[in-house]
Amino acid sequence: MGESENGKSRTIKIALAGNPNAGKTTIFNNLTGMHQHVGNYPGVTVEKKEGFLHYKGYDFVIVDLPGIYGLSAHSLDEIVARNYIVEEKPDVVIDVLDASNLERNFYLAVQLLELNVPLILALNMADMAKKKGMKINKERLSALTGVPIVLTVATRQVAMNDLLDAAIKLVESKAVPMRSRIHYGREVDRQIEIVMQFIKRAPEIARLYPPRWLAIKLLEQDAVVIQTISEKPQGKLLLEAAGKSSALLKALFKEDPETLIAERRYGFISGACDEAVTLDYERRHDVSDMIDTILLNRLLGLPIFLALIWLVFRFVFWASAPFERGIEYLFILLGRGVGSLFSPESPARSLIVEGVIGGVGSVLVFIPVIYILFFILSFLEDSGYLARSAFLMDKFMHKIGLHGRSFIPMLLGFGCSLPAIMATRSIEDEKDRLATMLAVPFMSCGARLPIYVLFIGAFFPEHQAGNVLFIIYLVGIAVGIAMAWFLRRFLLKGPTAPFVMELPPYRIPTMKAMLIHVWERGYLYLQKAGTVILAGCVIMWFLSHLPWQSPQIENPNWETTRLERSYAGKLGKAIMPVFHPAGLYDWRLGVGFVGGFFAKEIVVSTLGTLYAVGEGGGEKNPSLRSALQNARKADGSPLYAPLSALAAMIFSLLYIPCISTVAIIRRESNSWRWPAFAVVHTIVTAWVVAVIVFQAGRLLGLG
Ligand code: GDP
Ligand code: MG
């Protein structure tokens, strides 16, 4: 606990730990409201959310750790959470448990007990537990475990302050708590004692971890702990002793010590729950189970899932269109207003009106789409349905050598690849994880949405808009899965680890959680518009005006000629022949593709700038959409048709992950090989698929 010089205000640092879906984030949001800072994507850690609040004269810092099932070294999430607790030494750890699944959630609690950290158990979802007919005797449970227990209902803000009060009490009480300790049976306990003797003889090591916990981890042969210990003096001796004990247990019980220990923990838990929990009446058939008989039906499940997603896209288009037109109109007015402040010929006017307002505006128009889509996605996620889609895909995914579990990060990729790649940390098998990580960028993220909405709006009738969008997303999923299959089959060969899927019960999501989610997402988008995209627009404007050429007033096509001779024009024209097989001839689009590496929205903002600067802009084509519709080739035929627009969208969907994604793949895979691979294979794949779509479409007479 930190204390300022005059002792007036004290800081209490609380870490929230718990299984996924236990309600940590809801508690975190309740406690901190908007006083939080979310790790900003590029560079900063995404996995840790920190928030602040002031209560009863204390300053609280609250940290939302990743959801975990235990403290083993099997998944990165668990290692991250464990390291945080062991190394940062928060003043209090609040373990958030789903009280309606108490036994399963208790496994982590037991491990935290052993870690001997200052612990509070929040038995959250007390409402659900009650509905199930569970009566929890918290005094009893508290006595059995030796830690304070608070029953909470996070969604209704029940007992949030009790958590803080308990934390204050825990921090202020000087008494050493009496913890109950799990007995692992005579033989195991004896080996724990023996290893502890060795630990005591190595003070430098004893300072790092609680001795009993360390002894248990060494018997379990925990890879991370062994690594840390082996670097210390006296470490070798200790590891040797622990290795002997571990081998002895294995020989004795014909079973891994890790399994032995886990069994005993479950034994303790089931005993404790028997003591402290009574069932009021016979458990009724859960509502969740009933819904699942339909939604997870072997025949109907997948079609229902697809139909639902299809409806979502239709709805998103329909609901956002009026807002979009409104914002578009506002930007046109803004451009005219600002433009009238300058003389018509001044370069400053052109830079601001065409470069900045035209470019950034063309991206901001899509804010309503983004917000509405994210709102619905967070509804599906919070309700528990998204986790089920992974279950639906599980059987299929197994056939291609992956887990259904890999499907969840892929779905998260619809929002943004960065958190999706972070989410692969929950996948235990390293090869599974890499394959999933490399498949994620094919999922269509929010930044690509403006590209589709622009092209679909310009070249497809309104009643088809949702369908086209749906197809594009499906192509993304299909290519992503194909990629993962390819990787698992040829580059990352190995058996699939067995895994039991967890199905969280259905819940009605709270407005607050969804709004916070949408706000975070939308805020990142706005932030990007004000930084990366703005910079992209300014650079594009200069590229489209340099080298400087003296105007030829008498030439009516002067603007077009000038633009084509600029650096941007030269760049675009150099690239474009590659895209001719895909039916794409617009050099401005080529420039956009290059810019899109920095952020995919830049594809759109570049078109916005270049069309505003060039012939198509101004009064003749007030919106970028109509500029695209009216764009002509040299021979006077239209530059785009529905089929080539589709090819443009498919290429945008699949090519190159943005620069932040490349950076995070580099960080998460810990090598340059995989991000480099991702860059190359996405470009190749995108080109091939776009060409196939265009050529096949033409053969079918659609062009
Ligand atoms: P996390 O994964 O631990 O961060 O869990 P979340 O905070 O995201 O919560 C998962 C889901 O459970 C969300 O849909 C919440 O609205 C819901 N939830 C959280 N706390 C409660 C509760 O006390 N009662 C009920 N019925 N639902 C809750
Ligand atoms: Mg959470």
Side-chain angles (χ1 to χ4, degrees):
M1 180 174 53
E3 205 167 321
S4 66
E5 314 87 79
N6 50 18
K8 250 196 251 153
S9 119
R10 295 160 155 208
T11 307
I12 297 181
K13 195 169 196 178
I14 297 182
L16 293 175
N19 290 15
N21 274 310
K24 293 177 301 301
T25 304
T26 313
I27 291 183
F28 177 82
N29 288 337
N30 282 342
L31 291 178
T32 61
M34 282 296 176
H35 308 286
Q36 49 186 270
H37 79 200
V38 182
N40 213 341
Y41 289 132
V44 189
T45 43
V46 200
E47 63 267 31
K48 204 179 77 188
K49 250 192 185 178
E50 237 177 13
F52 311 93
L53 85 145
H54 196 75
Y55 176 75
K56 290 198 176 163
Y58 294 86
D59 286 318
F60 284 88
V61 180
I62 314 232
V63 178
D64 191 11
L65 295 176
I68 50 174
Y69 294 104
L71 294 177
S72 65
H74 292 313
S75 84
L76 250 168
D77 275 339
E78 297 194 348
I79 295 173
V80 166
R82 179 170 103 181
N83 284 351
Y84 184 84
I85 293 169
V86 173
E87 282 158 22
E88 304 281 319
K89 297 198 180 9
D91 300 307
V92 176
V93 176
I94 297 184
D95 179 11
V96 181
L97 294 87
D98 172 355
S100 63
N101 282 305
L102 196 56
E103 295 204 11
R104 197 186 68 200
N105 278 247
F106 227 90
Y107 192 67
L108 176 65
V110 165
Q111 300 203 346
L112 287 168
L113 278 173
E114 271 172 348
L115 198 50
N116 223 5
V117 289
L119 185 66
I120 294 173
L121 301 184
L123 301 195
N124 191 38
M125 309 215 179
D127 55 333
M128 302 293 281
K130 205 167 155 196
K131 259 194 214 151
K132 272 190 160 178
M134 292 166 74
K135 228 188 200 155
I136 299 169
N137 182 339
K138 80 173 177 184
E139 285 73 28
R140 196 74 217 256
L141 201 55
S142 181
L144 285 170
T145 52
V147 296
I149 289 180
V150 183
L151 291 178
T152 60
V153 183
T155 37
R156 279 190 264 124
Q157 311 233 18
V158 174
M160 293 296 118
N161 285 348
D162 296 356
L163 283 176
L164 298 176
D165 290 333
I168 294 174
K169 198 168 149 203
L170 193 62
V171 166
E172 294 295 356
S173 73
K174 301 281 182 283
V176 183
M178 276 300 294
R179 289 284 173 78
S180 57
R181 134 183 321 189
I182 298 176
H183 295 284
Y184 289 103
R186 212 166 32 125
E187 267 323 303
V188 178
D189 277 343
R190 217 170 62 129
Q191 297 308 322
I192 292 177
E193 281 303 324
I194 291 174
V195 177
M196 277 173 77
Q197 290 306 320
F198 279 90
I199 295 173
K200 280 184 191 136
R201 271 178 250 155
E204 235 190 272
I205 294 172
R207 240 178 293 134
L208 286 178
Y209 305 102
R212 188 174 155 88
W213 185 80
L214 177 57
I216 295 170
K217 283 292 145 196
L218 288 176
L219 288 181
E220 289 177 345
Q221 298 282 294
D222 181 289
V224 176
V225 168
I226 288 180
Q227 176 63 33
T228 316
I229 298 299
S230 69
E231 286 160 8
K232 302 280 176 240
Q234 297 164 298
K236 236 172 119 193
L237 207 66
L238 173 58
L239 288 181
E240 240 167 61
K244 258 190 218 148
S245 291
S246 187
L248 190 102
L249 288 176
K250 196 165 175 172
L252 211 55
F253 293 95
K254 308 255 178 303
E255 192 77 88
D256 257 339
E258 195 177 356
T259 315
L260 282 176
I261 290 170
E263 275 171 2
R264 284 293 182 147
R265 285 191 188 128
Y266 279 117
F268 171 83
I269 292 167
S270 112
C273 289
D274 273 353
E275 291 266 326
V277 182
T278 44
L279 281 176
D280 243 3
Y281 43 86
E282 224 167 90
R283 228 187 255 190
R284 272 181 308 175
H285 206 49
D286 276 333
V287 184
S288 277
D289 291 346
M290 262 154 51
I291 302 177
D292 276 342
T293 52
I294 302 168
L295 291 188
L296 292 187
N297 183 287
R298 258 176 5 140
L299 296 175
L300 294 178
L302 214 49
I304 291 178
F305 172 67
L306 292 176
L308 203 72
I309 299 290
W310 176 76
L311 273 178
V312 168
F313 287 129
R314 293 213 73 147
F315 176 79
V316 167
F317 253 96
W318 172 80
S320 63
F323 296 104
E324 227 175 277
R325 300 275 141 81
I327 296 179
E328 204 172 84
Y329 188 65
L330 283 181
F331 272 100
I332 292 169
L333 288 187
L334 182 69
R336 282 193 195 139
V338 173
S340 66
L341 302 176
F342 297 88
S343 74
E345 298 304 321
S346 80
R349 192 199 85 94
S350 168
L351 171 63
I352 291 174
V353 175
E354 289 151 4
V356 173
I357 298 180
V360 177
S362 61
V363 168
L364 288 183
V365 162
F366 299 104
I367 283 195
V369 187
I370 304 254
Y371 273 67
I372 293 174
L373 181 65
F374 283 140
F375 188 80
I376 299 180
L377 280 183
S378 59
F379 179 89
L380 291 179
E381 195 181 340
D382 286 357
S383 67
Y385 185 66
L386 225 47
R388 270 148 180 96
S389 66
F391 185 81
L392 287 171
M393 294 297 283
D394 193 48
K395 218 157 137 209
F396 174 73
M397 298 287 273
H398 263 294
K399 289 211 177 98
I400 61 169
L402 278 179
H403 275 306
R405 207 174 199 191
S406 299
F407 197 59
I408 298 233
M410 290 193 191
L411 283 176
L412 292 179
F414 285 163
C416 171
S417 298
L418 303 184
I421 288 174
M422 296 297 303
T424 60
R425 288 180 162 210
S426 65
I427 300 171
E428 292 176 7
D429 185 84
E430 201 50 36
K431 286 175 177 165
D432 267 353
R433 182 167 178 241
L434 259 176
T436 311
M437 201 187 292
L438 293 168
V440 162
F442 288 124
M443 303 298 119
S444 188
C445 69
R448 284 167 247 191
L449 196 55
I451 308 175
Y452 316 140
V453 179
L454 173 67
F455 278 100
I456 293 175
F459 300 104
F460 291 87
E462 213 169 307
H463 66 272
Q464 280 183 6
N467 303 357
V468 178
L469 195 58
F470 181 60
I471 290 171
I472 289 176
Y473 274 75
L474 284 189
V475 169
I477 297 179
V479 174
I481 288 180
M483 189 66 219
W485 171 82
F486 172 82
L487 286 168
R488 285 296 267 155
R489 183 85 177 66
F490 298 105
L491 299 182
L492 297 166
K493 276 187 249 181
T496 349
F499 175 78
V500 186
M501 295 271 295
E502 308 258 357
L503 286 186
Y506 286 104
R507 299 210 180 82
I508 296 176
T510 60
M511 204 54 170
K512 189 169 167 186
M514 289 192 296
L515 287 180
I516 286 181
H517 194 102
V518 170
W519 163 251
E520 282 172 357
R521 264 276 88 80
Y523 181 74
L524 283 177
Y525 190 77
L526 283 178
Q527 206 183 31
K528 233 163 140 192
T531 51
V532 186
I533 296 169
L534 177 65
C537 291
V538 172
I539 292 172
M540 254 344 136
W541 185 87
F542 277 103
L543 285 181
S544 64
H545 280 81
L546 297 177
W548 191 253
Q549 304 162 52
S550 45
Q552 303 165 355
I553 315 282
E554 67 288 358
N555 181 353
N557 288 330
W558 162 238
E559 260 306 306
T560 320
T561 324
R562 189 196 61 70
L563 197 52
E564 290 181 0
R565 284 190 202 144
S566 68
Y567 290 132
K570 283 186 188 142
L571 174 69
K573 290 194 174 242
I575 300 173
M576 231 37 216
V578 177
F579 290 100
H580 289 177
L584 298 172
Y585 294 89
D586 189 359
W587 63 266
R588 298 172 196 81
L589 184 64
V591 181
F593 284 157
V594 174
F597 179 47
F598 295 94
K600 290 262 167 118
E601 295 94 332
I602 291 184
V603 176
V604 168
S605 69
T606 298
L607 288 173
T609 303
L610 292 179
Y611 272 103
V613 169
E615 20 115 43
E619 297 301 308
K620 205 169 77 196
N621 292 306
S623 75
L624 178 54
R625 185 176 295 154
S626 55
L628 286 177
Q629 286 163 341
N630 295 334
R632 292 284 178 272
K633 289 184 203 161
D635 62 6
S637 62
L639 204 43
Y640 292 98
L643 190 57
S644 53
L646 187 64
M649 290 187 273
I650 296 281
F651 186 80
S652 310
L653 160 72
L654 301 176
Y655 91 109
I656 228 167
C658 70
I659 203 163
S660 326
T661 308
V662 174
I664 206 157
I665 295 179
R666 148 89 189 95
R667 196 183 88 187
E668 294 296 306
S669 68
N670 220 348
S671 87
W672 277 110
R673 213 173 84 204
W674 293 112
F677 174 76
V679 168
V680 175
H681 87 76
T682 50
I683 295 181
V684 174
T685 310
W687 185 86
V688 170
V689 178
V691 169
I692 291 176
V693 165
F694 181 75
Q695 296 298 346
R698 238 180 22 172
L699 283 179
L700 294 172
L702 300 174

